[in-house]
Amino acid sequence: MTDSPNPIRNWKLPLRLVLVVPFVVQICGAVGLTGWLSLQNGQKAVNDLAARLRQEISARIEQQLRNYLEAPRAINRVNANAIALGQLDLKDAASLTGQFWLQRDLFKPILVSAIYFGGADGEFIGLGFQNDNTWQIGRAGSSTKGKFYSYAADDRGFPSKLLETGGDYDPRTRPWYQYAVAAGETTWSDIYVDFKDPRLKITLVRSVYSDAGKLQGVLGVDFVLSHIRAFLQSLEIGESGETFIMDRSGLLVASSTSQQPFAIDGKKVERLEAAQVTHPLIKESAAYLAQHFGSYGQIEASVQLDFKINREKKFLHVLPFRDGENLDWLIVVVVSEQDFMKQIQANTRTTVILCFAALVVAIVVGGITARSIVEPILKLSKASKAIATGDFLVEVPVERQDELGTLARAFQEMREDIRISHQQLEDYSRFLEIKVSDRTEKLQKEVSDRQLLEERLRGSEQRMRAVFEAMNNIILVVDREVNIDVLPTNAALLYESENDIISCTIEHFFEEGTGEIWQDRVIQALEIKKTISFDYSLDLGEDEVWFSARISPMTENTAIWVARDISDRKEAEIAARVAQEQSERLLLNVLPQAIAQRLKQDTQAIADYFEEAAILFSDIVGFTPLSARMEPIELVSLLNQMFSTFDELTEKHGLEKIKTIGDAYMVAGGLPVPRPECLEAVADMALDMQAAIDDFRVTLPLPGGELGERFQIRIGIHLGPVVAGVIGRKRFIYDLWGDTVNVASRMESSGLPGKIQVTVEVYNRLKDRYRFQERGAIAVKGKGEMIAYWLLGKN
């Protein structure tokens, strides 16, 4: 066997390059890897920092909003209590104005911009903080002939001077009044535009009723949204980060940009959508949220996201903010990754420069080092070539005391040894000429002896063949070219006559087209010089015969092939495998797959607790009296058809059949593997069972003829915790225990034919996706009265 050529040996690389390149590669690799790891760690730190920054800013905004909105609640509550206790006279304008004037000092104007009362008779009395930082008293009604009068207030809160006469004003037509009357309780109005100044406001309103339940008017406290905008602009969110607040319809409430959240077109003021503002970061963020969630109304919890604008990564945090029933906003904070990556990118550039400098230094130092090593070696190489041409007197100067100097001295000693050896070889060649003549005579004698030995070997081969023929196996002797040199012993397993097989090839002996496979096997045994074993099959007529073969090397180019018939063993292995598969299928028909696997590993009792599982019980109405009128075989056949249909529905919906008791059928969802949508699957199966039972009828003989009777089923469903497992050692069954099972059974037994009765827990979970009808309170054994519902179908 010849050695394959080594490509590395054939490289013609200068020694200087071999010495320098590895050091250069190592230095560049180390510096580059360090820079890459630093970049990755910096990127991770940026992501963590950005997440914390967004969360902190969102929390600050949320807390500030709650501080803003708490002041109107407190003032409204105080005024309502004063009216209820009779401390405020709604007909006394001076009393109301004085109350509002005292309350203005309790909170900063940034928290409360106006306090007022709008009467059911159209009278309006209020105190408002204006853009010129003064408090003005506003009145409208019969005393102002329906006009809105603005008065300056003295130091006691009484009107002192008429500042402005506005247009017609009726508080009953204002949005804040109408919201309060419609709600009948304390509530926030929608965002609206102030009738005097172009600014957005929101009002906390509360209806005031007399003891007789008659509407007296509405108390209101205004909050100007521009204060939120000023707070957002005061936040530091990196160099280019922004934050904004919008409602669920996408309209902008406030932002940290200079752009107002509304647009003025003549006398018309319209609010802007967040996705339509001019600032690209807010515009793209709002558009991304709408695309990601489908609608803003789908955002139910705090979410961290990231997206790209012009290939630049942005970090986004959205936080829902709710106060009461109808104030539902979204706080959005957007930060640019570039704000955090500048220093990291500068460090990366420094790393690249250092890597290049290290490369240059490594090349220079490596070149100097390589020169000091290579020059002495080149001198030794020149001297070696001279010796190869027969010049044994060449000298190599020894000028160094290091390893290369030692090498030069060793070379000098080697040169002297070679010179002496060369002289000795010349003497020995003359001696060999004499020996060759003597050896020729001996070889002639060896040829004659070898011919005699071959005759004896032919006799030994005949005796070996006789031994082989007495065996019950196939034994071949093959060479590297896969030629058969010895007759196989078992003639019954051959394709052709014995005399036609000697000296044929393996491919001819076996099936055509398989010669390369058998040749690879023989060559493998010869190459590794070890015995190899394998199984194979042959088609002999109508039968397939299996063999277990062993190929053992005999000489460098010859191997012996011994094959034994193992067809009986193969048949036994196949039969055992089929039996094992049948046993597995039978076990899976009795137990869930996960439970079956656990039982095979551990035969001890299995008991698992499931926090939430859906249980379904069904019962065929009137089946017991019907069974008395049917033949047993017909009864069992009918039950088998019904339950087989139910089994198919169980597999369709991914549920677990627990057991059947007579004509009762029990199904569970959410176990043995928890499943979030298990209750929906059980509800769908119950509806499908109702539809499937309509296809079954039984024909009963009557005195006047035959009657085709239809079936109806009662179904009960409950959701709750259960314990599931397998206990005992014989006739395993996967069963459930717990109050949830009992309640589901009671739902079925107390139901009506053709109905699906469910508990309140099921109704609360599925009421948005399924149609229900309330049945009301029913008496349940062991539970008392329970509210139950009928499941009618899907929405």
Side-chain angles (χ1 to χ4, degrees):
M1 183 176 63
T2 59
D3 295 335
S4 59
N6 189 343
I8 298 178
R9 297 176 183 174
N10 297 329
W11 290 357
K12 297 181 179 180
L13 297 176
L15 185 57
R16 289 187 178 89
L17 190 61
V18 174
L19 292 174
V20 174
V21 168
F23 295 103
V24 173
V25 171
Q26 290 178 21
I27 292 174
C28 292
V31 176
L33 180 61
T34 302
W36 182 82
L37 291 176
S38 299
L39 181 62
Q40 294 298 313
N41 292 333
Q43 184 71 51
K44 184 177 183 301
V46 165
N47 293 339
D48 295 341
L49 178 60
R52 289 197 297 270
L53 178 62
R54 286 176 285 168
Q55 290 176 348
E56 179 182 350
I57 292 176
S58 299
R60 289 182 59 189
I61 296 173
E62 180 184 23
Q63 183 60 45
Q64 190 65 26
L65 287 178
R66 298 209 180 276
N67 293 339
Y68 284 159
L69 301 180
E70 181 58 30
R73 284 190 178 277
I75 293 177
N76 239 351
R77 190 161 48 246
V78 170
N79 291 337
N81 292 338
I83 294 173
L85 295 174
Q87 297 173 355
L88 278 180
D89 185 0
L90 298 179
K91 301 298 184 180
D92 186 357
S95 174
L96 288 174
T97 304
Q99 174 78 355
F100 297 158
W101 180 261
L102 293 176
Q103 290 174 345
R104 86 192 193 289
D105 291 332
L106 297 178
F107 302 95
K108 297 179 179 179
I110 192 174
L111 300 179
V112 176
S113 62
I115 310 171
Y116 47 84
F117 174 77
D121 55 358
E123 294 292 327
F124 176 84
I125 303 170
L127 180 68
F129 189 76
Q130 306 304 314
N131 288 334
D132 59 358
N133 294 329
T134 62
W135 288 93
Q136 295 182 7
I137 298 173
R139 289 186 181 179
S142 58
S143 63
T144 64
K145 297 181 180 182
K147 302 294 183 179
F148 191 93
Y149 283 11
S150 296
Y151 295 93
D154 60 16
D155 55 356
R156 293 182 299 169
F158 295 108
S160 61
K161 179 182 178 182
L162 179 63
L163 300 176
E164 181 183 358
T165 300
D168 295 335
Y169 185 83
D170 187 345
R172 294 170 296 185
T173 64
R174 297 299 295 165
W176 54 269
Y177 188 95
Q178 295 172 354
Y179 286 136
V181 174
E185 60 183 7
T186 302
T187 184
W188 287 102
S189 70
D190 284 346
I191 298 174
Y192 64 94
V193 181
D194 190 5
F195 81 99
K196 290 183 63 178
D197 299 317
R199 58 181 181 176
L200 299 182
K201 301 173 69 175
I202 186 170
T203 303
L204 182 67
V205 293
R206 180 169 182 165
S207 307
V208 179
Y209 295 88
S210 66
D211 294 338
K214 182 180 180 181
L215 178 66
Q216 294 179 292
V218 175
L219 284 170
V221 181
D222 284 354
F223 174 71
V224 179
L225 299 184
S226 58
H227 301 319
I228 300 178
R229 176 167 165 262
F231 170 72
L232 297 183
Q233 290 176 334
S234 68
L235 296 175
E236 294 184 1
I237 317 174
E239 294 184 6
S240 60
E242 299 291 348
T243 181
F244 62 96
I245 303 173
M246 61 181 177
D247 58 23
R248 293 290 181 164
S249 64
L251 294 176
L252 197 62
V253 176
S255 71
S256 59
T257 66
S258 58
Q259 184 178 5
Q260 293 285 358
F262 56 86
I264 301 176
D265 184 8
K267 293 184 179 180
K268 187 177 181 181
V269 180
E270 292 186 354
R271 294 178 61 193
L272 297 177
E273 294 186 10
Q276 295 177 346
V277 299
T278 57
H279 196 284
L281 188 57
I282 294 180
K283 179 179 180 180
E284 294 296 335
S285 299
Y288 174 75
L289 287 174
Q291 178 184 4
H292 184 78
F293 290 98
S295 69
Y296 301 120
Q298 299 297 323
I299 305 175
E300 297 296 335
S302 175
V303 180
Q304 297 270 10
L305 301 170
D306 58 76
F307 66 103
K308 291 185 178 181
I309 300 178
N310 298 327
R311 298 183 180 181
E312 184 177 340
K313 190 174 183 180
K314 308 293 181 182
F315 299 110
L316 183 146
H317 182 215
V318 57
L319 175 66
F321 176 81
R322 296 181 177 89
D323 188 80
E325 292 296 330
N326 64 330
L327 196 153
D328 192 359
W329 296 345
L330 296 175
I331 302 172
V332 183
V333 179
V334 189
V335 184
S336 176
E337 183 186 45
Q338 191 63 28
D339 293 348
F340 304 93
M341 291 295 294
K342 289 183 178 179
Q343 185 60 43
I344 295 177
Q345 292 173 349
N347 293 339
T348 302
R349 288 191 294 270
T350 302
T351 302
V352 172
I353 295 173
L354 290 176
C355 183
F356 181 76
L359 175 63
V360 173
V361 172
I363 292 175
V364 173
V365 174
I368 295 173
T369 304
R371 181 178 179 183
S372 64
I373 295 174
V374 170
E375 284 189 354
I377 296 177
L378 291 177
K379 293 179 181 180
L380 291 175
S381 176
K382 184 177 179 181
S384 299
K385 293 178 180 179
I387 294 174
T389 59
D391 184 5
F392 297 104
L393 301 178
V394 63
E395 294 287 341
V396 177
V398 179
E399 300 174 352
R400 304 171 59 152
Q401 299 300 321
D402 56 4
E403 289 81 358
L404 290 175
T406 303
L407 178 62
R409 286 188 289 272
F411 182 84
Q412 291 283 55
E413 296 175 359
M414 181 191 67
R415 177 192 59 78
E416 182 62 22
D417 293 339
I418 292 175
R419 186 187 63 78
I420 297 173
S421 299
H422 184 268
Q423 183 63 40
Q424 292 175 346
L425 285 174
E426 290 181 349
D427 296 338
Y428 188 68
S429 64
R430 288 190 293 269
F431 171 75
L432 287 178
E433 291 177 358
I434 299 173
K435 297 291 289 183
V436 167
S437 177
D438 296 339
R439 183 58 179 169
T440 301
E441 295 179 0
K442 292 181 179 180
L443 286 176
Q444 292 176 351
K445 184 177 183 301
E446 289 177 358
V447 170
S448 61
D449 294 341
R450 185 173 183 180
Q451 292 175 350
L452 179 61
L453 179 60
E454 289 178 353
E455 292 179 359
R456 293 178 179 177
L457 286 176
R458 280 195 293 271
S460 298
E461 181 180 351
Q462 293 176 355
R463 288 193 296 273
M464 183 182 296
R465 182 175 299 180
V467 174
F468 287 169
E469 291 177 352
M471 298 180 181
N472 193 29
N473 298 330
I474 295 179
I475 301 177
L476 307 174
V477 176
V478 293
D479 59 16
R480 184 178 291 273
E481 301 300 327
V482 202
N483 295 314
I484 300 175
D485 291 334
V486 176
L487 181 67
T489 62
N490 194 338
L493 300 176
L494 304 181
Y495 292 105
E496 305 176 21
S497 64
E498 300 177 5
N499 295 331
D500 295 335
I501 295 175
I502 294 296
S503 299
C504 72
T505 63
I506 284 288
E507 182 174 9
H508 179 72
F509 176 67
F510 291 107
E511 298 175 352
E512 294 185 1
T514 63
E516 292 185 359
I517 299 175
W518 308 121
Q519 184 176 12
D520 291 342
R521 297 282 191 177
V522 174
I523 293 177
Q524 180 185 0
L526 293 175
E527 293 287 346
I528 66 176
K529 298 181 181 180
K530 291 182 180 179
T531 300
I532 62 172
S533 302
F534 58 93
D535 295 344
Y536 66 94
S537 64
L538 295 176
D539 290 330
L540 301 181
E542 299 179 354
D543 299 327
E544 181 183 22
V545 182
W546 278 91
F547 294 93
S548 177
R550 291 168 60 89
I551 301 178
S552 302
M554 298 174 59
T555 65
E556 184 176 355
N557 294 312
T558 307
I560 183 169
W561 179 314
V562 179
R564 180 167 56 86
D565 187 351
I566 58 170
S567 299
D568 293 340
R569 190 187 78 188
K570 282 291 183 180
E571 291 178 359
E573 291 176 353
I574 295 173
R577 184 167 59 254
V578 171
Q580 177 67 22
E581 293 175 354
Q582 293 175 346
S583 175
E584 291 284 345
R585 287 195 298 270
L586 180 60
L587 184 60
L588 292 178
N589 283 334
V590 177
L591 300 174
Q593 183 175 4
I595 301 301
Q597 292 295 333
R598 290 173 60 183
L599 276 178
K600 287 192 290 184
Q601 298 172 1
D602 187 358
T603 58
Q604 295 182 358
I606 295 176
D608 298 319
Y609 176 77
F610 294 91
E611 184 68 28
E612 185 176 83
I615 310 300
L616 178 149
F617 277 93
S618 71
D619 186 77
I620 303 175
V621 180
F623 192 82
T624 300
L626 177 64
S627 63
R629 293 182 288 165
M630 295 181 62
E631 293 295 329
I633 297 300
E634 295 179 357
L635 178 66
V636 173
S637 176
L638 179 61
L639 272 180
N640 180 60
Q641 295 177 23
M642 290 182 179
F643 287 173
S644 295
T645 301
F646 294 166
D647 290 344
E648 292 175 357
L649 293 177
T650 301
E651 293 183 3
K652 171 185 174 182
H653 295 289
L655 301 174
E656 201 65 48
K657 173 184 176 182
I658 303 302
K659 58 185 174 183
T660 59
I661 306 174
D663 58 331
Y665 193 92
M666 179 180 177
V667 176
L671 52 82
V673 178
R675 177 182 173 190
E677 70 279 6
C678 64
L679 184 56
E680 289 85 342
V682 169
D684 292 340
M685 179 170 178
L687 296 172
D688 289 347
M689 290 174 70
Q690 275 191 333
I693 202 68
D694 290 339
D695 297 335
F696 290 94
R697 286 176 172 79
V698 61
T699 302
L700 297 175
L702 295 175
E706 294 184 344
L707 174 64
E709 184 172 336
R710 297 177 61 183
F711 289 97
Q712 288 184 312
I713 59 173
R714 292 191 306 268
I715 299 177
I717 302 175
H718 183 47
L719 177 71
V722 298
V723 174
V726 178
I727 59 177
R729 294 185 177 274
K730 295 184 178 180
R731 296 184 181 179
F732 293 127
I733 182 173
Y734 186 66
D735 208 347
L736 310 179
W737 300 273
D739 188 60
T740 301
V741 179
N742 298 332
V743 173
S745 177
R746 297 291 186 269
M747 287 294 105
E748 176 273 316
S749 61
S750 61
L752 296 179
K755 295 287 188 177
I756 303 172
Q757 184 168 246
V758 303
T759 60
V760 173
E761 289 78 5
V762 177
Y763 169 75
N764 289 334
R765 181 67 66 85
L766 300 181
K767 62 183 179 181
D768 295 333
R769 286 162 288 178
Y770 292 79
R771 292 181 289 107
F772 291 90
Q773 177 183 349
E774 183 176 356
R775 183 182 184 184
I778 62 172
V780 178
K781 182 179 179 181
K783 302 296 290 185
E785 286 195 350
M786 295 181 66
I787 301 298
Y789 294 82
W790 301 120
L791 171 61
L792 303 180
K794 279 191 171 184
N795 285 335

